[in-house]
Amino acid sequence: MNAIDDAILDCIVNFLNSIQIKVINQDLSDDTFLPSLSLKGQTILVDQHQLKYPGDLLHEAGHIAVTEAHLRPLIGSTEMDKDWPSQGDEIAAILWSYAALYHLQLDPKIVFHNEGYRNASSWFIEQFTNKVYMGLPLLHWMGLCDTTSFPEMKQWLR
């Protein structure tokens, strides 16, 4: 990563640590779901030597954040439901990550980069910058935000 990416990574890691999503740098094998990232409970394990997109941390944090508190310790274990995250959780995590990058004043392309989101990154950016927030009722139902003030959040963890 270059110096700009390092600054972005530091900004993201500091934010996540401040909301009780721990980020730990460690060497990871190549068989993780996303290259260089793995989830374990309320912690994101990141191999900073392999990390291509610092914004991926925000998306993965979104999965942790929208998971019910009593289920978070099961993330990354065989005890977690094999269908986790659900499609609703995925939608909520995408919108949560947008709120986080808005809060951090980061360019949406940092999270919604061209190699993610099944070639729909530019569509997500267009929707969110036009204030079309698919999934907003779900985040509101989870108690994370008000529909009238989004992308500002009332709280970051469900």
Side-chain angles (χ1 to χ4, degrees):
M1 288 194 299
N2 60 41
I4 293 171
D5 291 340
D6 286 343
I8 292 168
L9 180 62
D10 288 346
C11 174
I12 291 170
V13 168
N14 289 336
F15 167 70
L16 294 177
N17 285 327
S18 78
I19 63 166
Q20 281 70 54
I21 295 177
K22 195 171 186 181
V23 179
I24 297 175
N25 185 29
Q26 72 177 53
D27 292 336
L28 297 172
S29 64
D30 293 338
D31 63 350
T32 56
F33 177 71
L34 272 178
S36 69
L37 295 173
S38 185
L39 303 181
K40 187 171 178 70
Q42 202 160 313
T43 300
I44 301 173
L45 306 175
V46 59
D47 188 332
Q48 291 182 9
H49 301 293
Q50 295 183 53
L51 184 65
K52 285 179 70 175
Y53 302 104
D56 288 348
L57 282 164
L58 288 179
H59 179 78
E60 294 308 306
H63 284 298
I64 293 169
V66 302
T67 298
E68 294 174 88
H70 73 279
L71 294 175
R72 274 188 230 126
L74 305 179
I75 295 173
S77 76
T78 57
E79 297 174 57
M80 181 53 102
D81 186 326
K82 65 179 178 65
D83 293 326
W84 180 89
S86 69
Q87 288 182 338
D89 291 340
E90 185 65 38
I91 291 167
I94 289 169
L95 195 55
W96 185 96
S97 64
Y98 177 77
L101 69 85
Y102 174 87
H103 174 76
L104 297 172
Q105 300 178 346
L106 297 174
D107 186 319
K109 291 179 184 175
I110 290 169
V111 172
F112 301 102
H113 53 80
N114 289 331
E115 289 190 35
Y117 302 92
R118 300 179 184 182
N119 298 317
S121 297
S122 59
W123 181 84
F124 282 115
I125 292 170
E126 181 182 333
Q127 298 306 303
F128 297 155
T129 53
N130 287 319
K131 300 183 181 188
V132 177
Y133 302 126
M134 60 107 188
L136 183 56
L138 190 54
L139 281 185
H140 176 76
W141 175 79
M142 291 176 174
L144 299 176
C145 68
D146 289 322
T147 56
T148 56
S149 59
F150 188 83
E152 293 179 19
M153 300 288 276
K154 290 187 339 186
Q155 62 189 46
W156 289 103
L157 298 176
R158 183 175 179 188

